[in-house]
Amino acid sequence: METATERSWIELNIENLKHNVRILREAIPPACELMAVVKADAYGHGACATATVLNQMEITAFAVATVEEGIQLRKHGIRGEILILGYTDVKRVQDLQKYDLTQTLLDFAYARALNSRNAAVKTHIKIDTGMHRLGISGEEISAVRKVFEMKNLKICGIYTHLCCADSRLPEDIAFTRRQIDSFYRLTDALKNSGIQLPKLHIQSSCGFLNYPDLVCDYVRVGIALYGVSSVPDNEAVLQPALRPVLALKSRVVLIRFIGKGDSVGYGRTFVAGRDSRIAVIPVGYGDGFPGSLSGKNVSVLVNRQSVPVVGRICMDQLTVDITDAENVKVGDIVTLIGTEEEQNVSAPVVAQSAGSISNELLCRLGTRLPIVMK
């Protein structure tokens, strides 16, 4: 048994990742490029390993959340633009320069503070078109013009973020269209005032799948790159044939026989209604498999058979009822997220059962899980 798969592990299907890149490239406009979002360790997929594969496929634009994430990519040889989507202390301008990182300008005051460090740095201007989180207001055209005049800031891009692009409710579609119109009014005004526009980008995964007609230079593709939707029963306008890249796997390490009326785990939340066989699986919420799934009728796969999780999910292990399963033995592989032939436990379904979305579920998979490339 390989050391990496003795306990629990993340398994990445690299061919599925490459397939998703090809499918997405075919779907975006010819002049548009993919910007791969690899923040939060590439949504739990391993940022450096994933970005290396993407670099080999000639993807040369990446997005991260922090300066540390960008530095990690550079130290692993990742080439191309690396855009930091979030806050970086302006005192770290030397790191931005040293590692050739591109910083998002969070608002006008931040742009002015970064410019005052007297060090040339690449930037993208974030525009607030209604999400009201980060960015200069799309109505403050004069402020954006002034940013272009700041001598130490090289403006390489302008972008916004659509806050309800995943929704097909009429009111949310209308709001998204207002955001899009606000962004283009701003960029048109800049262009008309003689400013040469840098790279423009509006769409995240949901933004692209629901508004594929937009003309931009980048699509910031995150969750779609990894082949899953944020929620089950995705009703996006585009339905590309994407394939999940990640599987979460573990092993049966112990089988216990308990009698009718016996309980399993903390709080005695599961009491056997019959004589039962219980398998112990060494994975838990410390690995990122949510404890909130306890008691939610969640199942995992063992030997292509669906078996229910019973009792409370612990930090390091959980238990499943294998009474009705055949030929389960110690050492058998357990699939907690992923597919075994015709059986499937998808990330969106697992996440929904935990009261969350795939994005959160995947990016919280613990750092103690080794990653195995398939």
Side-chain angles (χ1 to χ4, degrees), residues 192-230:
N192 291 336
S193 67
I195 291 175
Q196 184 173 350
L197 294 179
K199 300 282 189 179
L200 304 182
H201 46 115
I202 298 177
Q203 301 139 301
S204 61
S205 293
C206 290
F208 171 65
L209 295 177
N210 279 321
Y211 300 88
D213 55 318
L214 301 182
V215 178
C216 296
D217 297 291
Y218 290 128
V219 168
R220 301 185 305 270
V221 60
I223 196 68
L225 183 65
Y226 308 111
V228 296
S229 60
S230 295

PDB file of all heavy atoms in Angstrom, residues 192-230:
ATOM      1  N   ASN A 192     -13.480  56.947 -24.344  1.00  0.00           N
ATOM      2  CA  ASN A 192     -13.832  58.201 -25.009  1.00  0.00           C
ATOM      3  C   ASN A 192     -12.989  59.377 -24.520  1.00  0.00           C
ATOM      4  O   ASN A 192     -12.869  60.398 -25.216  1.00  0.00           O
ATOM      5  CB  ASN A 192     -15.313  58.515 -24.813  1.00  0.00           C
ATOM      6  CG  ASN A 192     -16.206  57.536 -25.563  1.00  0.00           C
ATOM      7  OD1 ASN A 192     -15.782  56.916 -26.544  1.00  0.00           O
ATOM      8  ND2 ASN A 192     -17.438  57.384 -25.108  1.00  0.00           N
ATOM      9  N   SER A 193     -12.424  59.227 -23.321  1.00  0.00           N
ATOM     10  CA  SER A 193     -11.568  60.296 -22.795  1.00  0.00           C
ATOM     11  C   SER A 193     -10.118  60.119 -23.202  1.00  0.00           C
ATOM     12  O   SER A 193      -9.249  60.863 -22.747  1.00  0.00           O
ATOM     13  CB  SER A 193     -11.683  60.365 -21.274  1.00  0.00           C
ATOM     14  OG  SER A 193     -11.127  59.196 -20.679  1.00  0.00           O
ATOM     15  N   GLY A 194      -9.845  59.128 -24.044  1.00  0.00           N
ATOM     16  CA  GLY A 194      -8.507  58.940 -24.578  1.00  0.00           C
ATOM     17  C   GLY A 194      -7.653  57.919 -23.856  1.00  0.00           C
ATOM     18  O   GLY A 194      -6.472  57.742 -24.186  1.00  0.00           O
ATOM     19  N   ILE A 195      -8.222  57.221 -22.886  1.00  0.00           N
ATOM     20  CA  ILE A 195      -7.471  56.199 -22.158  1.00  0.00           C
ATOM     21  C   ILE A 195      -7.501  54.893 -22.938  1.00  0.00           C
ATOM     22  O   ILE A 195      -8.576  54.431 -23.371  1.00  0.00           O
ATOM     23  CB  ILE A 195      -8.055  55.990 -20.742  1.00  0.00           C
ATOM     24  CG1 ILE A 195      -7.791  57.238 -19.887  1.00  0.00           C
ATOM     25  CG2 ILE A 195      -7.457  54.743 -20.078  1.00  0.00           C
ATOM     26  CD1 ILE A 195      -8.428  57.197 -18.522  1.00  0.00           C
ATOM     27  N   GLN A 196      -6.342  54.320 -23.154  1.00  0.00           N
ATOM     28  CA  GLN A 196      -6.282  53.014 -23.814  1.00  0.00           C
ATOM     29  C   GLN A 196      -6.645  51.943 -22.804  1.00  0.00           C
ATOM     30  O   GLN A 196      -5.970  51.787 -21.783  1.00  0.00           O
ATOM     31  CB  GLN A 196      -4.878  52.758 -24.369  1.00  0.00           C
ATOM     32  CG  GLN A 196      -4.780  51.452 -25.153  1.00  0.00           C
ATOM     33  CD  GLN A 196      -3.428  51.299 -25.832  1.00  0.00           C
ATOM     34  OE1 GLN A 196      -2.622  52.222 -25.874  1.00  0.00           O
ATOM     35  NE2 GLN A 196      -3.181  50.117 -26.381  1.00  0.00           N
ATOM     36  N   LEU A 197      -7.694  51.220 -23.089  1.00  0.00           N
ATOM     37  CA  LEU A 197      -8.190  50.256 -22.113  1.00  0.00           C
ATOM     38  C   LEU A 197      -7.242  49.063 -21.988  1.00  0.00           C
ATOM     39  O   LEU A 197      -6.762  48.526 -22.990  1.00  0.00           O
ATOM     40  CB  LEU A 197      -9.579  49.758 -22.519  1.00  0.00           C
ATOM     41  CG  LEU A 197     -10.710  50.793 -22.501  1.00  0.00           C
ATOM     42  CD1 LEU A 197     -12.015  50.147 -22.949  1.00  0.00           C
ATOM     43  CD2 LEU A 197     -10.870  51.420 -21.118  1.00  0.00           C
ATOM     44  N   PRO A 198      -7.008  48.620 -20.762  1.00  0.00           N
ATOM     45  CA  PRO A 198      -6.244  47.397 -20.548  1.00  0.00           C
ATOM     46  C   PRO A 198      -7.164  46.189 -20.676  1.00  0.00           C
ATOM     47  O   PRO A 198      -8.279  46.297 -21.196  1.00  0.00           O
ATOM     48  CB  PRO A 198      -5.734  47.570 -19.114  1.00  0.00           C
ATOM     49  CG  PRO A 198      -6.827  48.348 -18.445  1.00  0.00           C
ATOM     50  CD  PRO A 198      -7.402  49.258 -19.504  1.00  0.00           C
ATOM     51  N   LYS A 199      -6.727  45.035 -20.201  1.00  0.00           N
ATOM     52  CA  LYS A 199      -7.556  43.831 -20.236  1.00  0.00           C
ATOM     53  C   LYS A 199      -8.815  44.028 -19.387  1.00  0.00           C
ATOM     54  O   LYS A 199      -8.754  44.550 -18.271  1.00  0.00           O
ATOM     55  CB  LYS A 199      -6.776  42.631 -19.703  1.00  0.00           C
ATOM     56  CG  LYS A 199      -5.501  42.303 -20.478  1.00  0.00           C
ATOM     57  CD  LYS A 199      -5.790  41.583 -21.767  1.00  0.00           C
ATOM     58  CE  LYS A 199      -4.512  41.065 -22.403  1.00  0.00           C
ATOM     59  NZ  LYS A 199      -4.755  40.332 -23.667  1.00  0.00           N
ATOM     60  N   LEU A 200      -9.953  43.587 -19.918  1.00  0.00           N
ATOM     61  CA  LEU A 200     -11.229  43.689 -19.200  1.00  0.00           C
ATOM     62  C   LEU A 200     -11.726  42.290 -18.839  1.00  0.00           C
ATOM     63  O   LEU A 200     -11.599  41.358 -19.632  1.00  0.00           O
ATOM     64  CB  LEU A 200     -12.276  44.387 -20.066  1.00  0.00           C
ATOM     65  CG  LEU A 200     -11.933  45.785 -20.605  1.00  0.00           C
ATOM     66  CD1 LEU A 200     -13.114  46.336 -21.413  1.00  0.00           C
ATOM     67  CD2 LEU A 200     -11.542  46.735 -19.489  1.00  0.00           C
ATOM     68  N   HIS A 201     -12.310  42.170 -17.642  1.00  0.00           N
ATOM     69  CA  HIS A 201     -12.937  40.890 -17.276  1.00  0.00           C
ATOM     70  C   HIS A 201     -14.074  41.108 -16.286  1.00  0.00           C
ATOM     71  O   HIS A 201     -13.997  41.936 -15.392  1.00  0.00           O
ATOM     72  CB  HIS A 201     -11.915  39.862 -16.761  1.00  0.00           C
ATOM     73  CG  HIS A 201     -10.922  40.348 -15.761  1.00  0.00           C
ATOM     74  ND1 HIS A 201     -10.886  39.876 -14.464  1.00  0.00           N
ATOM     75  CD2 HIS A 201      -9.888  41.218 -15.863  1.00  0.00           C
ATOM     76  CE1 HIS A 201      -9.873  40.439 -13.812  1.00  0.00           C
ATOM     77  NE2 HIS A 201      -9.250  41.253 -14.635  1.00  0.00           N
ATOM     78  N   ILE A 202     -15.125  40.380 -16.527  1.00  0.00           N
ATOM     79  CA  ILE A 202     -16.363  40.487 -15.753  1.00  0.00           C
ATOM     80  C   ILE A 202     -16.775  39.128 -15.180  1.00  0.00           C
ATOM     81  O   ILE A 202     -17.247  39.037 -14.050  1.00  0.00           O
ATOM     82  CB  ILE A 202     -17.527  41.004 -16.638  1.00  0.00           C
ATOM     83  CG1 ILE A 202     -17.216  42.403 -17.170  1.00  0.00           C
ATOM     84  CG2 ILE A 202     -18.840  41.025 -15.863  1.00  0.00           C
ATOM     85  CD1 ILE A 202     -18.293  42.941 -18.109  1.00  0.00           C
ATOM     86  N   GLN A 203     -16.625  38.074 -15.969  1.00  0.00           N
ATOM     87  CA  GLN A 203     -17.269  36.800 -15.668  1.00  0.00           C
ATOM     88  C   GLN A 203     -16.412  35.885 -14.794  1.00  0.00           C
ATOM     89  O   GLN A 203     -15.256  35.631 -15.091  1.00  0.00           O
ATOM     90  CB  GLN A 203     -17.585  36.062 -16.975  1.00  0.00           C
ATOM     91  CG  GLN A 203     -18.491  36.802 -17.923  1.00  0.00           C
ATOM     92  CD  GLN A 203     -18.013  36.635 -19.360  1.00  0.00           C
ATOM     93  OE1 GLN A 203     -16.901  37.001 -19.699  1.00  0.00           O
ATOM     94  NE2 GLN A 203     -18.865  36.048 -20.193  1.00  0.00           N
ATOM     95  N   SER A 204     -17.040  35.376 -13.748  1.00  0.00           N
ATOM     96  CA  SER A 204     -16.538  34.203 -13.039  1.00  0.00           C
ATOM     97  C   SER A 204     -17.146  32.986 -13.741  1.00  0.00           C
ATOM     98  O   SER A 204     -17.714  33.108 -14.828  1.00  0.00           O
ATOM     99  CB  SER A 204     -16.966  34.252 -11.574  1.00  0.00           C
ATOM    100  OG  SER A 204     -18.395  34.243 -11.504  1.00  0.00           O
ATOM    101  N   SER A 205     -17.043  31.815 -13.123  1.00  0.00           N
ATOM    102  CA  SER A 205     -17.626  30.616 -13.750  1.00  0.00           C
ATOM    103  C   SER A 205     -19.113  30.809 -14.026  1.00  0.00           C
ATOM    104  O   SER A 205     -19.588  30.604 -15.144  1.00  0.00           O
ATOM    105  CB  SER A 205     -17.409  29.390 -12.860  1.00  0.00           C
ATOM    106  OG  SER A 205     -16.047  29.048 -12.773  1.00  0.00           O
ATOM    107  N   CYS A 206     -19.864  31.202 -12.987  1.00  0.00           N
ATOM    108  CA  CYS A 206     -21.314  31.389 -13.160  1.00  0.00           C
ATOM    109  C   CYS A 206     -21.600  32.534 -14.117  1.00  0.00           C
ATOM    110  O   CYS A 206     -22.538  32.467 -14.915  1.00  0.00           O
ATOM    111  CB  CYS A 206     -21.971  31.642 -11.812  1.00  0.00           C
ATOM    112  SG  CYS A 206     -22.002  30.209 -10.725  1.00  0.00           S
ATOM    113  N   GLY A 207     -20.798  33.580 -14.044  1.00  0.00           N
ATOM    114  CA  GLY A 207     -20.989  34.702 -14.946  1.00  0.00           C
ATOM    115  C   GLY A 207     -20.830  34.296 -16.396  1.00  0.00           C
ATOM    116  O   GLY A 207     -21.580  34.759 -17.263  1.00  0.00           O
ATOM    117  N   PHE A 208     -19.868  33.429 -16.661  1.00  0.00           N
ATOM    118  CA  PHE A 208     -19.685  32.969 -18.038  1.00  0.00           C
ATOM    119  C   PHE A 208     -20.795  32.023 -18.465  1.00  0.00           C
ATOM    120  O   PHE A 208     -21.354  32.158 -19.555  1.00  0.00           O
ATOM    121  CB  PHE A 208     -18.329  32.286 -18.189  1.00  0.00           C
ATOM    122  CG  PHE A 208     -18.179  31.598 -19.520  1.00  0.00           C
ATOM    123  CD1 PHE A 208     -18.167  32.342 -20.695  1.00  0.00           C
ATOM    124  CD2 PHE A 208     -18.104  30.225 -19.602  1.00  0.00           C
ATOM    125  CE1 PHE A 208     -18.068  31.715 -21.933  1.00  0.00           C
ATOM    126  CE2 PHE A 208     -18.001  29.596 -20.825  1.00  0.00           C
ATOM    127  CZ  PHE A 208     -17.985  30.335 -22.002  1.00  0.00           C
ATOM    128  N   LEU A 209     -21.128  31.061 -17.619  1.00  0.00           N
ATOM    129  CA  LEU A 209     -22.113  30.051 -18.008  1.00  0.00           C
ATOM    130  C   LEU A 209     -23.512  30.642 -18.210  1.00  0.00           C
ATOM    131  O   LEU A 209     -24.293  30.129 -19.015  1.00  0.00           O
ATOM    132  CB  LEU A 209     -22.157  28.932 -16.966  1.00  0.00           C
ATOM    133  CG  LEU A 209     -20.870  28.101 -16.838  1.00  0.00           C
ATOM    134  CD1 LEU A 209     -21.010  27.070 -15.731  1.00  0.00           C
ATOM    135  CD2 LEU A 209     -20.510  27.424 -18.159  1.00  0.00           C
ATOM    136  N   ASN A 210     -23.808  31.726 -17.504  1.00  0.00           N
ATOM    137  CA  ASN A 210     -25.127  32.342 -17.649  1.00  0.00           C
ATOM    138  C   ASN A 210     -25.143  33.572 -18.543  1.00  0.00           C
ATOM    139  O   ASN A 210     -26.201  33.975 -19.038  1.00  0.00           O
ATOM    140  CB  ASN A 210     -25.689  32.710 -16.272  1.00  0.00           C
ATOM    141  CG  ASN A 210     -26.301  31.511 -15.578  1.00  0.00           C
ATOM    142  OD1 ASN A 210     -26.945  30.686 -16.212  1.00  0.00           O
ATOM    143  ND2 ASN A 210     -26.085  31.399 -14.272  1.00  0.00           N
ATOM    144  N   TYR A 211     -23.958  34.175 -18.782  1.00  0.00           N
ATOM    145  CA  TYR A 211     -23.872  35.364 -19.641  1.00  0.00           C
ATOM    146  C   TYR A 211     -22.700  35.187 -20.611  1.00  0.00           C
ATOM    147  O   TYR A 211     -21.741  35.978 -20.606  1.00  0.00           O
ATOM    148  CB  TYR A 211     -23.708  36.625 -18.785  1.00  0.00           C
ATOM    149  CG  TYR A 211     -24.867  36.819 -17.833  1.00  0.00           C
ATOM    150  CD1 TYR A 211     -24.847  36.237 -16.565  1.00  0.00           C
ATOM    151  CD2 TYR A 211     -25.994  37.544 -18.205  1.00  0.00           C
ATOM    152  CE1 TYR A 211     -25.922  36.377 -15.696  1.00  0.00           C
ATOM    153  CE2 TYR A 211     -27.069  37.701 -17.348  1.00  0.00           C
ATOM    154  CZ  TYR A 211     -27.033  37.100 -16.088  1.00  0.00           C
ATOM    155  OH  TYR A 211     -28.100  37.246 -15.236  1.00  0.00           O
ATOM    156  N   PRO A 212     -22.793  34.171 -21.467  1.00  0.00           N
ATOM    157  CA  PRO A 212     -21.664  33.853 -22.344  1.00  0.00           C
ATOM    158  C   PRO A 212     -21.464  34.843 -23.484  1.00  0.00           C
ATOM    159  O   PRO A 212     -20.451  34.786 -24.181  1.00  0.00           O
ATOM    160  CB  PRO A 212     -22.034  32.474 -22.895  1.00  0.00           C
ATOM    161  CG  PRO A 212     -23.537  32.453 -22.876  1.00  0.00           C
ATOM    162  CD  PRO A 212     -23.922  33.236 -21.644  1.00  0.00           C
ATOM    163  N   ASP A 213     -22.411  35.755 -23.651  1.00  0.00           N
ATOM    164  CA  ASP A 213     -22.351  36.685 -24.777  1.00  0.00           C
ATOM    165  C   ASP A 213     -21.449  37.884 -24.503  1.00  0.00           C
ATOM    166  O   ASP A 213     -21.173  38.671 -25.412  1.00  0.00           O
ATOM    167  CB  ASP A 213     -23.765  37.192 -25.103  1.00  0.00           C
ATOM    168  CG  ASP A 213     -24.457  37.827 -23.893  1.00  0.00           C
ATOM    169  OD1 ASP A 213     -24.334  37.266 -22.789  1.00  0.00           O
ATOM    170  OD2 ASP A 213     -25.113  38.870 -24.058  1.00  0.00           O
ATOM    171  N   LEU A 214     -20.970  38.056 -23.298  1.00  0.00           N
ATOM    172  CA  LEU A 214     -20.182  39.237 -22.958  1.00  0.00           C
ATOM    173  C   LEU A 214     -18.828  39.203 -23.663  1.00  0.00           C
ATOM    174  O   LEU A 214     -18.216  38.149 -23.800  1.00  0.00           O
ATOM    175  CB  LEU A 214     -19.969  39.327 -21.446  1.00  0.00           C
ATOM    176  CG  LEU A 214     -21.240  39.412 -20.589  1.00  0.00           C
ATOM    177  CD1 LEU A 214     -20.875  39.554 -19.125  1.00  0.00           C
ATOM    178  CD2 LEU A 214     -22.117  40.568 -21.043  1.00  0.00           C
ATOM    179  N   VAL A 215     -18.387  40.371 -24.083  1.00  0.00           N
ATOM    180  CA  VAL A 215     -17.112  40.487 -24.781  1.00  0.00           C
ATOM    181  C   VAL A 215     -16.058  40.988 -23.787  1.00  0.00           C
ATOM    182  O   VAL A 215     -16.105  42.141 -23.347  1.00  0.00           O
ATOM    183  CB  VAL A 215     -17.205  41.450 -25.981  1.00  0.00           C
ATOM    184  CG1 VAL A 215     -15.845  41.583 -26.654  1.00  0.00           C
ATOM    185  CG2 VAL A 215     -18.260  40.963 -26.965  1.00  0.00           C
ATOM    186  N   CYS A 216     -15.131  40.114 -23.420  1.00  0.00           N
ATOM    187  CA  CYS A 216     -14.093  40.442 -22.452  1.00  0.00           C
ATOM    188  C   CYS A 216     -12.766  39.845 -22.908  1.00  0.00           C
ATOM    189  O   CYS A 216     -12.706  39.097 -23.882  1.00  0.00           O
ATOM    190  CB  CYS A 216     -14.440  39.893 -21.064  1.00  0.00           C
ATOM    191  SG  CYS A 216     -15.925  40.618 -20.347  1.00  0.00           S
ATOM    192  N   ASP A 217     -11.719  40.180 -22.164  1.00  0.00           N
ATOM    193  CA  ASP A 217     -10.399  39.625 -22.465  1.00  0.00           C
ATOM    194  C   ASP A 217     -10.104  38.372 -21.659  1.00  0.00           C
ATOM    195  O   ASP A 217      -9.319  37.522 -22.083  1.00  0.00           O
ATOM    196  CB  ASP A 217      -9.321  40.681 -22.188  1.00  0.00           C
ATOM    197  CG  ASP A 217      -9.472  41.888 -23.095  1.00  0.00           C
ATOM    198  OD1 ASP A 217      -9.238  41.736 -24.308  1.00  0.00           O
ATOM    199  OD2 ASP A 217      -9.848  42.972 -22.605  1.00  0.00           O
ATOM    200  N   TYR A 218     -10.695  38.284 -20.472  1.00  0.00           N
ATOM    201  CA  TYR A 218     -10.521  37.108 -19.620  1.00  0.00           C
ATOM    202  C   TYR A 218     -11.874  36.604 -19.135  1.00  0.00           C
ATOM    203  O   TYR A 218     -12.811  37.391 -18.944  1.00  0.00           O
ATOM    204  CB  TYR A 218      -9.710  37.430 -18.359  1.00  0.00           C
ATOM    205  CG  TYR A 218      -8.256  37.731 -18.541  1.00  0.00           C
ATOM    206  CD1 TYR A 218      -7.698  38.892 -17.993  1.00  0.00           C
ATOM    207  CD2 TYR A 218      -7.401  36.849 -19.203  1.00  0.00           C
ATOM    208  CE1 TYR A 218      -6.345  39.169 -18.122  1.00  0.00           C
ATOM    209  CE2 TYR A 218      -6.052  37.118 -19.336  1.00  0.00           C
ATOM    210  CZ  TYR A 218      -5.527  38.280 -18.788  1.00  0.00           C
ATOM    211  OH  TYR A 218      -4.187  38.551 -18.923  1.00  0.00           O
ATOM    212  N   VAL A 219     -11.963  35.307 -18.888  1.00  0.00           N
ATOM    213  CA  VAL A 219     -13.002  34.725 -18.056  1.00  0.00           C
ATOM    214  C   VAL A 219     -12.289  34.134 -16.846  1.00  0.00           C
ATOM    215  O   VAL A 219     -11.381  33.305 -16.994  1.00  0.00           O
ATOM    216  CB  VAL A 219     -13.799  33.621 -18.789  1.00  0.00           C
ATOM    217  CG1 VAL A 219     -14.670  32.849 -17.809  1.00  0.00           C
ATOM    218  CG2 VAL A 219     -14.656  34.223 -19.883  1.00  0.00           C
ATOM    219  N   ARG A 220     -12.669  34.592 -15.660  1.00  0.00           N
ATOM    220  CA  ARG A 220     -12.068  34.065 -14.425  1.00  0.00           C
ATOM    221  C   ARG A 220     -12.778  32.764 -14.072  1.00  0.00           C
ATOM    222  O   ARG A 220     -13.856  32.768 -13.486  1.00  0.00           O
ATOM    223  CB  ARG A 220     -12.208  35.071 -13.276  1.00  0.00           C
ATOM    224  CG  ARG A 220     -11.565  36.421 -13.538  1.00  0.00           C
ATOM    225  CD  ARG A 220     -11.641  37.318 -12.301  1.00  0.00           C
ATOM    226  NE  ARG A 220     -13.001  37.473 -11.805  1.00  0.00           N
ATOM    227  CZ  ARG A 220     -13.843  38.425 -12.191  1.00  0.00           C
ATOM    228  NH1 ARG A 220     -13.490  39.300 -13.127  1.00  0.00           N
ATOM    229  NH2 ARG A 220     -15.056  38.489 -11.675  1.00  0.00           N
ATOM    230  N   VAL A 221     -12.181  31.660 -14.432  1.00  0.00           N
ATOM    231  CA  VAL A 221     -12.858  30.381 -14.268  1.00  0.00           C
ATOM    232  C   VAL A 221     -12.299  29.656 -13.037  1.00  0.00           C
ATOM    233  O   VAL A 221     -11.111  29.385 -12.944  1.00  0.00           O
ATOM    234  CB  VAL A 221     -12.745  29.529 -15.556  1.00  0.00           C
ATOM    235  CG1 VAL A 221     -11.303  29.233 -15.911  1.00  0.00           C
ATOM    236  CG2 VAL A 221     -13.542  28.247 -15.436  1.00  0.00           C
ATOM    237  N   GLY A 222     -13.180  29.413 -12.080  1.00  0.00           N
ATOM    238  CA  GLY A 222     -12.801  28.735 -10.854  1.00  0.00           C
ATOM    239  C   GLY A 222     -13.470  27.388 -10.748  1.00  0.00           C
ATOM    240  O   GLY A 222     -12.976  26.388 -11.267  1.00  0.00           O
ATOM    241  N   ILE A 223     -14.641  27.336 -10.134  1.00  0.00           N
ATOM    242  CA  ILE A 223     -15.291  26.060  -9.844  1.00  0.00           C
ATOM    243  C   ILE A 223     -15.566  25.256 -11.115  1.00  0.00           C
ATOM    244  O   ILE A 223     -15.466  24.023 -11.110  1.00  0.00           O
ATOM    245  CB  ILE A 223     -16.590  26.283  -9.029  1.00  0.00           C
ATOM    246  CG1 ILE A 223     -17.074  24.983  -8.385  1.00  0.00           C
ATOM    247  CG2 ILE A 223     -17.663  26.954  -9.865  1.00  0.00           C
ATOM    248  CD1 ILE A 223     -16.177  24.464  -7.295  1.00  0.00           C
ATOM    249  N   ALA A 224     -15.867  25.923 -12.229  1.00  0.00           N
ATOM    250  CA  ALA A 224     -16.123  25.201 -13.479  1.00  0.00           C
ATOM    251  C   ALA A 224     -14.862  24.505 -13.976  1.00  0.00           C
ATOM    252  O   ALA A 224     -14.934  23.431 -14.580  1.00  0.00           O
ATOM    253  CB  ALA A 224     -16.660  26.152 -14.547  1.00  0.00           C
ATOM    254  N   LEU A 225     -13.713  25.110 -13.745  1.00  0.00           N
ATOM    255  CA  LEU A 225     -12.455  24.501 -14.160  1.00  0.00           C
ATOM    256  C   LEU A 225     -12.279  23.133 -13.519  1.00  0.00           C
ATOM    257  O   LEU A 225     -11.716  22.206 -14.123  1.00  0.00           O
ATOM    258  CB  LEU A 225     -11.296  25.414 -13.765  1.00  0.00           C
ATOM    259  CG  LEU A 225      -9.891  24.995 -14.177  1.00  0.00           C
ATOM    260  CD1 LEU A 225      -9.746  25.010 -15.691  1.00  0.00           C
ATOM    261  CD2 LEU A 225      -8.865  25.922 -13.536  1.00  0.00           C
ATOM    262  N   TYR A 226     -12.811  23.000 -12.307  1.00  0.00           N
ATOM    263  CA  TYR A 226     -12.665  21.751 -11.562  1.00  0.00           C
ATOM    264  C   TYR A 226     -13.824  20.786 -11.802  1.00  0.00           C
ATOM    265  O   TYR A 226     -13.921  19.742 -11.175  1.00  0.00           O
ATOM    266  CB  TYR A 226     -12.488  22.065 -10.079  1.00  0.00           C
ATOM    267  CG  TYR A 226     -11.378  23.081  -9.875  1.00  0.00           C
ATOM    268  CD1 TYR A 226     -11.655  24.372  -9.436  1.00  0.00           C
ATOM    269  CD2 TYR A 226     -10.063  22.767 -10.206  1.00  0.00           C
ATOM    270  CE1 TYR A 226     -10.643  25.312  -9.294  1.00  0.00           C
ATOM    271  CE2 TYR A 226      -9.046  23.701 -10.074  1.00  0.00           C
ATOM    272  CZ  TYR A 226      -9.342  24.971  -9.627  1.00  0.00           C
ATOM    273  OH  TYR A 226      -8.339  25.900  -9.506  1.00  0.00           O
ATOM    274  N   GLY A 227     -14.705  21.179 -12.730  1.00  0.00           N
ATOM    275  CA  GLY A 227     -15.692  20.240 -13.250  1.00  0.00           C
ATOM    276  C   GLY A 227     -16.926  20.033 -12.420  1.00  0.00           C
ATOM    277  O   GLY A 227     -17.646  19.040 -12.617  1.00  0.00           O
ATOM    278  N   VAL A 228     -17.221  20.944 -11.503  1.00  0.00           N
ATOM    279  CA  VAL A 228     -18.440  20.808 -10.697  1.00  0.00           C
ATOM    280  C   VAL A 228     -19.163  22.149 -10.682  1.00  0.00           C
ATOM    281  O   VAL A 228     -18.588  23.199 -10.982  1.00  0.00           O
ATOM    282  CB  VAL A 228     -18.145  20.358  -9.243  1.00  0.00           C
ATOM    283  CG1 VAL A 228     -17.528  18.977  -9.224  1.00  0.00           C
ATOM    284  CG2 VAL A 228     -17.233  21.346  -8.533  1.00  0.00           C
ATOM    285  N   SER A 229     -20.419  22.115 -10.312  1.00  0.00           N
ATOM    286  CA  SER A 229     -21.177  23.338 -10.104  1.00  0.00           C
ATOM    287  C   SER A 229     -21.230  23.617  -8.603  1.00  0.00           C
ATOM    288  O   SER A 229     -20.949  22.744  -7.782  1.00  0.00           O
ATOM    289  CB  SER A 229     -22.597  23.200 -10.660  1.00  0.00           C
ATOM    290  OG  SER A 229     -23.281  22.134 -10.019  1.00  0.00           O
ATOM    291  N   SER A 230     -21.580  24.836  -8.264  1.00  0.00           N
ATOM    292  CA  SER A 230     -21.643  25.189  -6.844  1.00  0.00           C
ATOM    293  C   SER A 230     -22.775  24.455  -6.131  1.00  0.00           C
ATOM    294  O   SER A 230     -22.653  24.117  -4.947  1.00  0.00           O
ATOM    295  CB  SER A 230     -21.824  26.707  -6.690  1.00  0.00           C
ATOM    296  OG  SER A 230     -20.692  27.393  -7.170  1.00  0.00           O
TER     297      SER A 230
END
